[in-house]
């Protein structure tokens, strides 16, 4: 309201003009509120914010800036920005660039980092972002600067860089190959120098290799093996195996592969360690060859010694006229001979751990018939499957067959011709069935073979027990023995 004195119809009067300024008052209030709100935003911001005019004088600064520079707002306003505590180098570069910024070159010092000395005397690293300020006509009036304290971030970055360098030295210095894979798609993320050397590929050739690349044969192992290794390690935390790897040039070599699941960067990764077993395998092969030669020599010497014993028994038997004594020598000789044949078969076998029992039975039975049936026409029928038995089973089983065939040759035919059958076959549940029969006069009815005091029958029962077997006899047509046993060490 504006009131002015004057005259109205010759009389003194006051003239008043009233104007509604509610909108203006509201606008001014809103402007003040916005300014207060802006200042509150600036004060609670976690970064330094200050503005300078064209003379590089600080005209505004927030609370964070005051705390960082260690002075109250009243002392900071009016100072030149480069006197706030910046390094000499940064202050020099900033003053040099400022005229270009005021001239409109906004790319100058848009982002930069500098160290400052705080009011507490600490040195902090600040990342600065700058923008120009313009009036309503678009004329540049100054510059607004915001600075974020990145000291911890840069220190962590340096530590990570140092850690990365240490990791890379250890990673590439390993004597074993190391690869790192994604669980999904089995993609290779990293490989060390030793891994490249073992595989024959460069890092560039294998990094990023996916399951499809592996499937095409461009890998140390097949896709099936890699899938098993990574899936098992992911499921159980660990997996290992001994595999033959294939180098880029096609060469095969033995490796020990170990995989472990680990969290790297918040994601599951599979770390695979590959150990070259070439030297160990070569050493093992050499040792096996030496061991094979040693075993071969042992079996050869045992066979020779047993044959010497057979010859000695032959010589001793010639000193006696008593037929029963001579017979005893012959029986002992045949038992020793059955063991000698075992060692001869082992000597000729490839692994020297087991023998083809079919070949052994043929040689043993032929030797026995040659020794005992000089005055008899004995037919031998063999129905023996190809069964490989260890020495622990073959020796007692050989003596068992020796006793049964010898017993038939001695007692079943009494000067007449006849037939002896030997049948060896697989049974149920990893068992074997030995059937030895003759068509002779038959086992005497009054004798219980299980309780007999005869050395041969007592030896027969003991040996059957030794191989964990059972024995049964049938007198219906000649004499037939059935022995069922289990070979635990069968190949």
């Amino acid at each position: 309201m504006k009131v002015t004195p004057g005259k109205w119809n010759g009389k003194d009067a006051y003239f008043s003009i009233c104007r509604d300024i509610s909108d203006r008052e509201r606008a001014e209030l809103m402007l003040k509120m916005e300014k207060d709100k802006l200042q509150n935003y600036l004060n609670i911001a976690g970064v330094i914010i200050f503005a300078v005019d064209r003379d590089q004088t600080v005209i505004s600064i927030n609370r964070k800036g005051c705390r960082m520079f260690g002075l109250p707002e009243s002392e900071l306003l009016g100072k030149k920005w480069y006197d706030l505590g910046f390094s000499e180098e940064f202050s020099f570069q900033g003053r040099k660039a400022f005229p270009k910024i005021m001239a409109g070159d906004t790319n100058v010092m848009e982002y930069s980092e500098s160290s400052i000395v705080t009011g507490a005397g600490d040195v902090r690293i600040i990342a600065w972002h700058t923008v120009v300020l313009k009036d309503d006509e678009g004329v540049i009036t100054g510059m607004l600067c915001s600075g974020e304290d990145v000291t911890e971030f840069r220190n962590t970055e340096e530590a990570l860089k140092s850690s990365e360098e240490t990791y890379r030295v250890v990673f590439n210095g390993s004597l074993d190959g190391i690869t790192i894979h994604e669980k999904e798609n089995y993609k290779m993320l990293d490989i060390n120098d030793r891994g490249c050397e073992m595989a024959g590929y460069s890092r560039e050739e294998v990094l990023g290799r996916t399951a499809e690349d592996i499937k095409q044969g461009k890998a140390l192992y097949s896709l099936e093996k890699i899938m098993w290794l990574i899936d098992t390690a992911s499921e159980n935390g660990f997996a290992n195996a001994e595999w033959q790897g294939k180098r880029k040039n096609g060469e095969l070599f033995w490796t020990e592969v170990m995989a472990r699941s680990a969290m790297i960067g918040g994601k599951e990764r599979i770390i695979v360690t590959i150990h070259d077993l070439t030297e160990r395998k070569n050493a093992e092969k050499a040792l096996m060859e030496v061991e094979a030669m040693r075993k071969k020599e042992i079996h050869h010497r045992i066979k020779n010694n047993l044959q010497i014993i057979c010859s000695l028994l032959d010589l001793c038997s010639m000193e006696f006229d008593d037929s029963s004594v001579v017979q005893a020598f012959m029986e002992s000789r045949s038992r020793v001979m059955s063991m000698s044949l075992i060692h001869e078969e082992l000597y000729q076998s490839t692994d020297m751990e087991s023998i083809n029992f079919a070949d052994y039975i043929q040689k043993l039975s032929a030797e026995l018939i040659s020794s005992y049936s000089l005055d008899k026409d004995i037919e031998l029928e063999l129905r023996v499957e190809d069964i490989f038995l260890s020495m622990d089973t073959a020796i007692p089983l050989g003596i068992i067959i020796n006793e049964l065939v010898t017993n038939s040759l001695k007692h079943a035919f009494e000067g007449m011709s006849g037939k002896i059958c030997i049948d060896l076959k697989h049974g149920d549940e990893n068992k074997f069935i030995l059937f030895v029969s003759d068509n002779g006069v038959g086992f005497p009815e009054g004798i219980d073979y299980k309780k007999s005091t005869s050395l041969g029958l007592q030896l027969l029962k003991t040996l059957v027990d030794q191989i964990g077997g059972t024995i049964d006899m049938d007198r219906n047509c000649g004499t037939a023995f059935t022995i069922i046993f289990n070979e635990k060490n069968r190949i």
Side-chain angles (χ1 to χ4, degrees):
M1 180 182 288
K2 183 178 181 180
V3 180
T4 305
K7 295 291 187 177
W8 180 263
N9 293 330
K11 295 181 180 180
D12 292 332
Y14 291 93
F15 296 93
S16 62
I17 299 174
C18 295
R19 182 181 297 155
D20 187 350
I21 60 171
S22 299
D23 291 340
R24 192 185 76 186
E25 286 293 319
R26 281 195 293 270
E28 289 177 350
L29 178 62
M30 290 294 293
L31 182 59
K32 183 179 183 302
M33 290 175 63
E34 288 299 320
K35 286 183 177 179
D36 292 342
K37 185 186 294 185
L38 177 59
Q39 190 62 45
N40 286 333
Y41 286 153
L42 294 177
N43 285 333
I44 65 174
V47 296
I48 303 167
I49 300 176
F50 68 88
V52 298
D53 60 15
R54 293 185 66 89
D55 294 328
Q56 304 190 56
T57 301
V58 178
I59 58 175
S60 176
I61 188 167
N62 70 343
R63 193 175 300 159
K64 176 74 173 181
C66 295
R67 285 200 302 268
M68 187 64 74
F69 293 115
L71 292 171
E73 182 181 8
S74 59
E75 294 185 31
L76 291 171
L77 296 178
K79 289 176 71 74
K80 299 296 184 182
W81 70 267
Y82 44 79
D83 292 331
L84 297 180
F86 294 96
S87 66
E88 290 185 8
E89 177 64 22
F90 187 77
S91 298
F92 174 77
Q93 294 295 336
R95 279 181 290 174
K96 184 178 177 181
F98 196 83
K100 297 180 181 179
I101 298 173
M102 293 300 102
D105 189 353
T106 56
N107 292 323
V108 179
M109 293 189 72
E110 185 176 354
Y111 176 84
S112 58
E113 289 187 10
S114 73
S115 61
I116 65 168
V117 179
T118 68
D122 299 328
V123 178
R124 308 295 293 178
I125 301 172
I126 308 298
W128 295 101
H129 295 268
T130 60
V131 295
V132 295
L133 299 174
K134 298 179 181 179
D135 60 15
D136 293 339
E137 283 75 30
V139 177
I140 296 175
T141 60
M143 186 170 65
L144 181 67
C145 304
S146 67
E148 181 182 4
D149 188 349
V150 293
T151 307
E152 280 74 19
F153 177 77
R154 290 291 176 247
N155 290 341
T156 302
E157 195 174 52
E158 281 297 316
L160 286 173
K161 183 179 178 181
S162 176
S163 177
E164 169 67 17
E165 290 174 352
T166 302
Y167 154 77
R168 190 55 61 182
V169 169
V170 174
F171 187 63
N172 285 323
S174 173
L175 297 177
D176 292 328
I178 302 175
T179 59
I180 301 176
H181 299 259
E182 279 185 357
K183 179 183 179 298
E184 299 79 13
N185 203 25
Y186 315 100
K187 183 178 180 179
M188 185 181 290
L189 302 175
D190 205 352
I191 183 171
N192 70 344
D193 292 345
R194 177 58 176 150
C196 292
E197 179 186 340
M198 292 169 66
Y201 292 95
S202 66
R203 283 173 56 83
E204 292 72 20
E205 288 179 293
V206 295
L207 288 187
R209 180 170 290 171
T210 62
E212 188 59 33
D213 299 318
I214 298 169
K215 189 175 180 180
Q216 294 173 8
K218 301 176 182 177
L220 199 60
Y221 307 111
S222 68
L223 177 60
E224 291 74 16
K225 287 182 177 179
I226 292 176
M227 289 174 61
W228 175 88
L229 187 72
I230 291 177
D231 292 345
T232 303
S234 176
E235 182 178 350
N236 303 326
F238 180 81
N240 69 306
E242 280 193 11
W243 290 335
Q244 271 194 307
K246 186 177 183 181
R247 305 187 203 273
K248 183 180 179 180
N249 62 7
E251 179 186 351
L252 297 177
F253 68 110
W254 277 100
T255 62
E256 181 181 23
V257 187
M258 294 162 284
R260 185 177 295 278
S261 174
M263 297 300 294
I264 302 176
K267 295 183 178 180
E268 183 183 10
R269 302 291 186 234
I270 306 300
I271 302 173
V272 179
T273 303
I274 308 166
H275 181 64
D276 191 338
L277 296 179
T278 303
E279 292 186 4
R280 197 190 86 184
K281 288 293 184 180
N282 288 340
E284 288 177 353
K285 183 180 179 181
L287 286 174
M288 288 175 64
E289 289 175 353
V290 171
E291 179 67 12
M293 291 299 297
R294 187 182 67 84
K295 288 182 178 179
K296 204 175 187 70
E297 181 64 22
I298 289 173
H299 287 306
H300 184 64
R301 291 188 179 187
I302 292 175
K303 181 204 71 170
N304 288 343
N305 289 337
L306 291 174
Q307 286 179 343
I308 290 172
I309 294 172
C310 288
S311 298
L312 289 173
L313 290 172
D314 279 338
L315 291 173
C316 290
S317 66
M318 296 178 183
E319 300 293 327
F320 299 92
D321 295 326
D322 190 331
S323 60
S324 60
V325 174
V326 173
Q327 187 68 32
F329 275 107
M330 287 186 64
E331 291 173 2
S332 297
R333 177 190 176 282
S334 66
R335 290 166 186 145
V336 174
M337 180 267 299
S338 68
M339 292 186 285
S340 173
L341 285 176
I342 293 288
H343 289 282
E344 182 178 354
E345 290 294 315
L346 287 169
Y347 173 76
Q348 295 174 354
S349 68
T350 55
D351 61 2
M352 281 166 288
E353 297 291 339
S354 62
I355 65 169
N356 187 334
F357 211 70
D359 294 340
Y360 170 78
I361 289 178
Q362 188 170 18
K363 291 179 181 179
L364 175 63
S365 56
E367 181 74 23
L368 291 174
I369 289 176
S370 174
S371 299
Y372 283 93
S373 60
L374 296 177
D375 58 345
K376 305 170 188 175
D377 183 13
I378 305 299
E379 178 186 352
L380 178 65
E381 182 178 331
L382 298 178
R383 294 190 296 270
V384 183
E385 297 179 4
D386 283 335
I387 295 174
F388 287 81
L389 299 177
S390 68
M391 184 174 66
D392 291 340
T393 301
I395 287 179
L397 191 63
I399 299 175
I400 288 171
I401 294 173
N402 176 83
E403 295 303 314
L404 294 176
V405 173
T406 300
N407 192 63
S408 294
L409 290 170
K410 285 168 54 181
H411 306 294
F413 303 109
E414 297 181 352
M416 64 182 185
S417 61
K419 182 167 73 172
I420 297 175
C421 295
I422 302 176
D423 190 338
L424 178 63
K425 62 184 178 181
H426 291 84
D428 297 330
E429 299 178 356
N430 202 32
K431 293 185 179 298
F432 298 90
I433 302 171
L434 172 65
F435 183 76
V436 180
S437 64
D438 64 61
N439 60 353
V441 297
F443 202 86
E445 289 288 343
I447 299 177
D448 186 349
Y449 75 95
K450 293 184 179 180
K451 297 180 181 180
S452 172
T453 58
S454 166
L455 176 61
L457 293 176
Q458 287 182 340
L459 182 61
L460 179 65
K461 184 176 182 302
T462 300
L463 293 173
V464 170
D465 291 339
Q466 185 176 325
I467 60 174
T470 60
I471 182 169
D472 289 305
M473 184 178 68
D474 183 5
R475 294 188 178 96
N476 289 331
C477 182
T479 304
F481 286 91
T482 303
I483 298 169
I484 301 175
F485 65 97
N486 183 23
E487 162 66 353
K488 295 181 180 179
N489 299 320
R490 183 172 63 89
I491 302 301

